C-alpha cells in the first residue's frame, strides 16, 4: 500500500510538474533576444524506454533537416526532453522535430521582434478583460523560468510598478487600471543576464449586468425661451451601452427644419455607471416650437423611460433687440466721452468756472472775518530808474484794476500808511488786517525794507496759515539768488507772471487768475463802464 501510494504521488508530481511547462501548441511564437525553450512530454504516462536516444532536428526553408547539438549551436542547450535557446534569435524560426524511439513531435517556431518603443511584442499579448469593480489580479507565473530567475518584476505600460512585492497586483479594478502589464524575469545564465517577459493586455470593461435605464430630471420640463434665439435641450440618462436613446422630434407634417438632434455622448464613471446625454438643438425659435412636447426616450429590454420638454415664451421681459442694445452702448460711450471732456474742460477753465460761480452765487468770503483789507501789496518802495515800472504797477495799475474795476480794497504802504510811527509794528498789523499778501517780485525787490514785509507775511501764511500769499513775478524769479527758501514752497498756481510787453485787458487770463486767488467778494465795481486800462509809461 505504502509503496503504491508513494508511486502514485510521484507520478502525480511528474505529471503536474511536466505538463505545465510542456510545449503543446504546434505554432509557437517567441520574442527575439529572450530565452526560449521547447519541451516534449507525452500526456499518457507510458512505460519509459530510458535507454531510447533523444534527437532534435531543425528544418528551415531551403536547408534540409539538420540534427541539433550543443557543440555546433552555442545558443542551444539540450537536456532531458528540453531544447533551450539562450536566447532565441530571428534566424531560429523554422520547424523543429523531436525524436525518441517511435515518438516524434513537430513544432513550428516563429521568432518576432518587440514592438517599437515598447517592452513587449504586440502579437504575444495575453488579453484579459476585467469587469470594473471586480477583482483584478496580475500574477507572474512561469514554472520553467521561475526557478532560474533571481528577480521578478511587474511593469505597467513598460514602467516598473513601485513597491510591488512578489510581482503580484491584486485590487478592485478601476478604469485607470487598464494597460499592458509585463512580468519580467531576470535570469542569469553563463555570466549573462537575460530577460523573459510575459505581457497581459488588461482592459477594464463596464458592468455587464443590465440595468433598467432611467432619464434624469423631472418628467415634464418647461423651458423659458425667447423667440429668435437658440436653445439646447439636454437629456441625460443612466443607461446601458446598447440602449436606444433618442428624441421624438417628428411632427405629423414632417421634421421641423430648425430642430437638430445631436449625437449621444456617453461618460463612464469610475464606478462603472454609464451616463448618456443627448442634446436637442432648436435654432431660431419660432411660434411653432412653443407648446410642443419634445420627448426624450431611452429604451432597452428592461424598460422604457420618457421625459418631455415644452418651450414657453419668456413673459414679463421686454425683448431688447440687438440693435437697441448696440445703440445703448454707443450712447453710453458718447456720454462717457462727454463727461471726460467736461472734466478736462473743467480743469482747463477752472478759474473761469470759479469766477462765474462766485458771481452767480453772490459768494462773499469777506463779510465775517473782521479784516479791513482784501490784500496787502508788498513791493519795492524806492522809485528808481531801474524799478520804475514795478512801482507804477504796484501803486497805479493794481489799485486801478482791483479797486476801481473789481471793487477790492488794497493796502498800499505808500498810500495808506500814515508817515511816522513804528513802521515795523504798523506793517505787521496791516498784514494781519489783510486777507491776502500780494508780493510784486522784481530783481531789486529784496531790499532790507521790504524784506520784513515779506518775512512777516510768509510767517503768517506758512506758519500761522492766516493769510494767503499771491506772488506776481514782475521779472522771472529764477534770477533771484537770495530768494527765501520758504517762498519756493508756494504752490505754483499762486504765482502769476506779468508780461509788461503785452499789457493785458480786464478780461485777460492774468487778471482772471488774480481774481481767482483773491477772496470772493460781491462788491460791484463802481466803474462798470468800460474803462481804458492804464498803460505803463515806458521811460
Ligand atoms: C499554424 O499556422 C499556420 C499558418 O501560419 C496555419 O496554416 C496552421 O493551420 C497552424 N497550425 C495549427 C495547428 O494551428
Ligand atoms: C528500448 O530502446 C532500445 C534502443 O532504442 C531498443 O533496442 C529496445 O527495444 C527498446 N525497448 C522497448 C521495450 O521498447
Ligand atoms: C553536431 O551536429 C553536426 C551537424 O548537425 C555534426 O556535424 C556534428 O558532428 C555533431 N556533433 C556531435 C558531437 O554530435
Ligand atoms: C516501434 O519501433 C520498433 C523498432 O524500434 C518497431 O519494431 C515497432 O514496429 C514500432 N511500433 C510502431 C507502433 O510503430
Ligand atoms: C541576479 O543575477 C545577476 C547576474 O548574476 C546579478 O548581476 C544580479 O545582481 C542578481 N540580482 C539579484 C537581485 O540577485
Ligand atoms: C488590447 O486589448 C484591447 C481590447 O481588447 C484592444 O482594443 C487593443 O487593441 C489591445 N492592444 C493591442 C496592442 O493589441
Ligand atoms: C448634459 O447633462 C449632463 C448631465 O447633467 C452633463 O454631463 C452634460 O455635460 C450636459 N451636456 C451639455 C452639452 O451640456
Ligand atoms: C455624429 O455621428 C456621426 C456618425 O457617427 C458623425 O458623422 C457626425 O460627425 C457626428 N456629429 C457630431 C456633431 O459629432
Ligand atoms: C400654449 O400654452 C399656454 C398655456 O399652457 C396657452 O395659454 C397658450 O395659448 C398656448 N399657445 C399655443 C400657441 O398653443
Ligand atoms: C410626448 O409625450 C406626450 C405625453 O407624455 C404626448 O402627449 C406627446 O404627443 C409626445 N410628443 C411626441 C412628439 O411624441
Amino acid at each position: 500500500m505504502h509503496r503504491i501510494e508513494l508511486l502514485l504521488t510521484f507520478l502525480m508530481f511528474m505529471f503536474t510538474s511536466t505538463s505545465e511547462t510542456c510545449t503543446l501548441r504546434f505554432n509557437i511564437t517567441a520574442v527575439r533576444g529572450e530565452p526560449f525553450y521547447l519541451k516534449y512530454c507525452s500526456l499518457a504516462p507510458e512505460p519509459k524506454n530510458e535507454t531510447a536516444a533523444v534527437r532534435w532536428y531543425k528544418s528551415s526553408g531551403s536547408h534540409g533537416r539538420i540534427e541539433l547539438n550543443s557543440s555546433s549551436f552555442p545558443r542551444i542547450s539540450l537536456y532531458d526532453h528540453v531544447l533551450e535557446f539562450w536566447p532565441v534569435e530571428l534566424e531560429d524560426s523554422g520547424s523543429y522535430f523531436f525524436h525518441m524511439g517511435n515518438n516524434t513531435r513537430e513544432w513550428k517556431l516563429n521568432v518576432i521582434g518587440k514592438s517599437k518603443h515598447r517592452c513587449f511584442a504586440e502579437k504575444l499579448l495575453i488579453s484579459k478583460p476585467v469587469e470594473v469593480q471586480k477583482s483584478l489580479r496580475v500574477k507572474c507565473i512561469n514554472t520553467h523560468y521561475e526557478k532560474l530567475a533571481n528577480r521578478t518584476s511587474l511593469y505597467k505600460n513598460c514602467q516598473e510598478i513601485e513597491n510591488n512585492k512578489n510581482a503580484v497586483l491584486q485590487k478592485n479594478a478601476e478604469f485607470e487600471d487598464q494597460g499592458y502589464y509585463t512580468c519580467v524575469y531576470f535570469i542569469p545564465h553563463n555570466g549573462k543576464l537575460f530577460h523573459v517577459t510575459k505581457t497581459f493586455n488588461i482592459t477594464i470593461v463596464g458592468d455587464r449586468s443590465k440595468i433598467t435605464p432611467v432619464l434624469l430630471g423631472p418628467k415634464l420640463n418647461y423651458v423659458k425661451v425667447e423667440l429668435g434665439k437658440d436653445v439646447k435641450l439636454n437629456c441625460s440618462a443612466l443607461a446601458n451601452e446598447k440602449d436606444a436613446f433618442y428624441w421624438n422630434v417628428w411632427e405629423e407634417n414632417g421634421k421641423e427644419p430648425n430642430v437638430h438632434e445631436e449625437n449621444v455622448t456617453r461618460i463612464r464613471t469610475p464606478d462603472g455607471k454609464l451616463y448618456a446625454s443627448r442634446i436637442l438643438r432648436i435654432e431660431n425659435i419660432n411660434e411653432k416650437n412653443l407648446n410642443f412636447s419634445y420627448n426624450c426616450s431611452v429604451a432597452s429590454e428592461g424598460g422604457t423611460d420618457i421625459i418631455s420638454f415644452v418651450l414657453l415664451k419668456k413673459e414679463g421681459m421686454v425683448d431688447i433687440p440687438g440693435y437697441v442694445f448696440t445703440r445703448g452702448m454707443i450712447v453710453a460711450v458718447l456720454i462717457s466721452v462727454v463727461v471726460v471732456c467736461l472734466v478736462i474742460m473743467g480743469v482747463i477753465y477752472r478759474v473761469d468756472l470759479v469766477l462765474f460761480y462766485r458771481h452767480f452765487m453772490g459768494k462773499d468770503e469777506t463779510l465775517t472775518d473782521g479784516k479791513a483789507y482784501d490784500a496787502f501789496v508788498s513791493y519795492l518802495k524806492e522809485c528808481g530808474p531801474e524799478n520804475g515800472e514795478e512801482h507804477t504797477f504796484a501803486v497805479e495799475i493794481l489799485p486801478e484794476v482791483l479797486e476801481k474795476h473789481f471793487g477790492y480794497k488794497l493796502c498800499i504802504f505808500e498810500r495808506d500808511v500814515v508817515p511816522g510811527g513804528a513802521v515795523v509794528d504798523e506793517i505787521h498789523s496791516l498784514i494781519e488786517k489783510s486777507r491776502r499778501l500780494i508780493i510784486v517780485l522784481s530783481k531789486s525787490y529784496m531790499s532790507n525794507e521790504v524784506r520784513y514785509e515779506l518775512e512777516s507775511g510768509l510767517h503768517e501764511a506758512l506758519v500761522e496759515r492766516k493769510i494767503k500769499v499771491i506772488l506776481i513775478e514782475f521779472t522771472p524769479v529764477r534770477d533771484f539768488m537770495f530768494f527765501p527758501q520758504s517762498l519756493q514752497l508756494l504752490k505754483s498756481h499762486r504765482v502769476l507772471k506779468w508780461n509788461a510787453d503785452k499789457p493785458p485787458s480786464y478780461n485777460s487770463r492774468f487778471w482772471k487768475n488774480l481774481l481767482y486767488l483773491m477772496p470772493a467778494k460781491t462788491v460791484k465795481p463802481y466803474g462798470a463802464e468800460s474803462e481804458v486800462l492804464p498803460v505803463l509809461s515806458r521811460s
Side-chain angles (χ1 to χ4, degrees):
M1 274 297 281
H2 194 234
R3 269 192 187 168
I4 292 171
E5 252 186 78
L6 209 79
L7 186 72
L8 272 174
T9 335
F10 177 73
L11 282 174
M12 286 270 287
F13 175 71
M14 284 291 289
F15 181 71
T16 49
S17 71
T18 53
S19 68
E20 275 178 34
T21 53
C22 290
T23 314
L24 300 175
R25 283 163 295 137
F26 175 76
N27 283 330
I28 312 273
T29 308
V31 181
R32 65 171 290 204
E34 291 191 1
F36 176 74
Y37 74 93
L38 290 172
K39 179 167 183 177
Y40 168 81
C41 40
S42 54
L43 284 175
E46 58 193 35
K48 300 246 164 186
N49 190 342
E50 294 296 330
T51 54
V54 171
R55 290 179 188 278
W56 286 91
Y57 299 94
K58 181 196 175 185
S59 83
S60 68
S62 52
H63 299 105
R65 190 186 273 215
I66 49 168
E67 191 178 348
L68 301 173
N69 57 42
S70 307
S71 46
S72 55
F73 298 92
R75 284 187 289 105
I76 284 174
S77 84
L78 298 166
Y79 63 92
D80 293 342
H81 302 157
V82 178
L83 165 66
E84 278 185 342
F85 297 86
W86 294 96
V88 71
E89 293 294 352
L90 291 179
E91 66 259 28
D92 293 329
S93 295
S95 295
Y96 287 82
F97 303 91
F98 171 86
H99 282 258
M100 186 179 68
N102 284 4
N103 295 315
T104 63
R105 176 97 211 219
E106 185 190 350
W107 294 274
K108 207 165 175 186
L109 177 64
N110 181 28
V111 182
I112 57 169
K114 280 182 185 166
S115 314
K116 260 190 185 172
H117 312 302
R118 284 188 162 164
C119 58
F120 53 85
E122 269 173 32
K123 277 191 185 166
L124 274 186
L125 291 176
I126 301 162
S127 280
K128 225 173 135 179
V130 178
E131 225 174 275
V132 71
Q133 290 296 300
K134 295 283 162 61
S135 161
L136 165 67
R137 187 177 155 86
V138 182
K139 190 170 192 292
C140 296
I141 302 172
N142 188 321
T143 15
H144 187 80
Y145 288 111
E146 226 165 42
K147 50 189 181 289
L148 303 174
N150 68 357
R151 191 162 78 89
T152 308
S153 303
L154 186 58
Y155 287 65
K156 183 186 178 187
N157 298 330
C158 299
Q159 301 274 318
E160 187 163 4
I161 298 175
E162 282 173 25
N163 305 322
N164 189 265
K165 276 187 203 162
N166 312 323
V168 181
L169 179 78
Q170 170 99 52
K171 69 189 296 261
N172 272 1
E174 286 172 41
F175 281 102
E176 56 261 39
D177 291 329
Q178 183 155 311
Y180 302 99
Y181 290 81
T182 307
C183 288
V184 182
Y185 303 88
F186 296 86
I187 300 161
H189 179 85
N190 285 347
K192 277 189 190 167
L193 189 64
F194 293 92
H195 302 126
V196 173
T197 65
K198 182 175 174 181
T199 303
F200 302 94
N201 175 11
I202 294 192
T203 43
I204 310 294
V205 296
D207 194 349
R208 288 213 184 96
S209 58
K210 287 257 177 178
I211 57 159
T212 305
V214 280
L215 293 169
L216 309 177
K219 290 278 160 260
L220 184 55
N221 302 273
Y222 289 106
V223 181
K224 293 249 164 86
V225 293
E226 290 171 42
L227 292 182
K229 289 271 171 74
D230 300 349
V231 73
K232 282 181 172 183
L233 304 177
N234 184 359
C235 181
S236 298
L238 182 57
N240 304 300
E241 191 84 40
K242 297 270 158 66
D243 287 354
F245 186 34
Y246 55 92
W247 285 89
N248 314 66
V249 290
W250 304 95
E251 286 197 277
E252 300 98 53
N253 47 359
K255 192 173 179 271
E256 291 167 72
N258 63 334
V259 178
H260 306 279
E261 187 182 26
E262 293 189 352
N263 287 350
V264 181
T265 53
R266 293 187 176 86
I267 299 166
R268 238 192 225 291
T269 58
D271 60 354
K273 288 192 179 123
L274 181 78
Y275 286 94
S277 62
R278 191 157 203 180
I279 301 275
L280 187 71
R281 190 159 40 86
I282 304 174
E283 290 170 344
N284 194 7
I285 298 164
N286 59 44
E287 292 281 349
K288 273 176 78 186
N289 303 123
L290 301 175
N291 283 21
F292 181 77
S293 188
Y294 291 96
N295 297 346
C296 172
S297 308
V298 65
S300 76
E301 304 101 70
T304 314
D305 195 13
I306 296 183
I307 62 174
S308 306
F309 288 77
V310 177
L311 304 188
L312 295 180
K313 200 167 163 183
K314 210 176 254 184
E315 299 286 347
M317 202 185 118
V318 183
D319 286 355
I320 301 180
Y323 67 89
V324 173
F325 181 75
T326 318
R327 281 182 198 172
M329 286 301 288
I330 291 171
V331 168
V333 167
L334 283 180
I335 287 175
S336 341
V337 168
V338 166
V339 166
V340 168
C341 286
L342 282 179
V343 168
I344 292 172
M345 298 279 282
V347 170
I348 293 173
Y349 293 103
R350 179 189 39 158
V351 168
D352 302 71
L353 286 175
V354 167
L355 292 182
F356 175 78
Y357 172 76
R358 281 184 193 173
H359 181 74
F360 187 74
M361 299 298 289
K363 206 173 166 233
D364 198 333
E365 297 170 354
T366 64
L367 296 175
T368 53
D369 61 0
K371 294 196 172 178
Y373 299 102
D374 290 313
F376 182 94
V377 182
S378 175
Y379 62 102
L380 189 67
K381 275 140 206 112
E382 287 131 38
C383 181
E386 77 280 5
N387 57 306
E389 289 192 354
E390 183 202 338
H391 192 264
T392 314
F393 174 76
V395 299
E396 287 175 22
I397 298 179
L398 264 186
E400 180 73 33
V401 177
L402 286 183
E403 293 192 322
K404 290 232 177 79
H405 195 78
F406 292 111
Y408 284 106
K409 192 162 182 230
L410 301 182
C411 176
I412 297 168
F413 189 83
E414 213 173 78
R415 188 186 73 184
D416 300 315
V417 179
V418 190
V423 173
V424 168
D425 290 349
E426 187 88 42
I427 287 175
H428 188 79
S429 75
L430 283 174
I431 288 179
E432 281 205 327
K433 278 191 224 160
S434 305
R435 299 184 181 94
R436 297 284 185 273
L437 172 64
I438 298 178
I439 297 171
V440 182
L441 273 178
S442 67
K443 234 175 233 168
S444 34
Y445 174 77
M446 304 302 293
S447 71
N448 280 342
E449 201 181 342
V450 287
R451 207 179 169 97
Y452 173 72
E453 291 170 22
L454 177 67
E455 276 165 10
S456 167
L458 287 178
H459 180 79
E460 298 248 331
L462 299 170
V463 180
E464 297 178 23
R465 292 181 188 277
K466 278 188 193 158
I467 190 165
K468 286 177 182 158
V469 176
I470 302 170
L471 235 95
I472 297 176
E473 271 183 39
F474 208 76
T475 38
V477 159
R478 70 184 94 80
D479 297 351
F480 302 86
M481 298 298 293
F482 41 87
F483 208 66
Q485 283 284 315
S486 49
L487 218 51
Q488 288 162 21
L489 296 175
L490 275 180
K491 287 189 186 124
S492 63
H493 78 264
R494 305 199 73 86
V495 179
L496 303 178
K497 289 190 171 59
W498 173 260
N499 191 344
D501 295 335
K502 281 198 290 174
S505 72
Y506 291 123
N507 268 333
S508 73
R509 196 124 289 277
F510 175 83
W511 293 117
K512 277 183 181 168
N513 287 344
L514 182 55
L515 287 183
Y516 170 72
L517 295 175
M518 289 296 284
K521 199 170 185 179
T522 50
V523 181
K524 285 265 177 286
Y526 53 75
E529 70 279 5
S530 96
E531 288 161 287
V532 180
L533 193 68
V535 176
L536 286 176
S537 57
R538 316 211 89 208
S539 49

